[in-house]
Amino acid sequence: GLTVGAVVAAWVVPALGWRWMYVIAAVPGLLCYLVQRTVPESPRWLADHGRLEEAAAVMTEIEAKVAHATGRPLPPVPEKPAPAPAP
């Protein structure tokens, strides 16, 4: 980020002035805010923190988007076999 900022500043400051660097520097912050608002939280993180209802809702939303994108329902989740007893 430091290198990219220096390269951008070397081009922007002589062409547009130093004030434009503040405008350009605000863009990544705005992008981070938009990503935070639009990307759902990880279902695994939600479940690990006891927010099981939210985790289930996020998983349902993801599954619906995948089913819509593929045009067919998702296959059923296979049952895990019971672990073998220790000898």
Side-chain angles (χ1 to χ4, degrees), residues 1-30:
L2 183 61
T3 304
V4 172
V7 170
V8 170
W11 177 77
V12 170
V13 172
L16 302 173
W18 63 269
R19 289 176 181 94
W20 277 97
M21 280 306 295
Y22 285 106
V23 174
I24 293 170
V27 171
L30 293 173

Side-chain angles (χ1 to χ4, degrees), residues 8-63:
V8 170
W11 177 77
V12 170
V13 172
L16 302 173
W18 63 269
R19 289 176 181 94
W20 277 97
M21 280 306 295
Y22 285 106
V23 174
I24 293 170
V27 171
L30 293 173
L31 291 175
C32 288
Y33 177 76
L34 291 174
V35 167
Q36 179 186 14
R37 302 306 281 168
T38 57
V39 175
E41 185 61 70
S42 164
R44 180 173 291 175
W45 185 89
L46 290 169
D48 285 346
H49 288 82
R51 297 163 60 180
L52 300 177
E53 294 82 18
E54 290 176 72
V58 170
M59 281 305 300
T60 301
E61 182 180 332
I62 291 171
E63 290 170 352

Side-chain angles (χ1 to χ4, degrees), residues 65-82:
K65 287 180 181 179
V66 170
H68 178 72
T70 60
R72 57 180 185 238
L74 294 173
V77 178
E79 292 291 328
K80 280 186 172 180

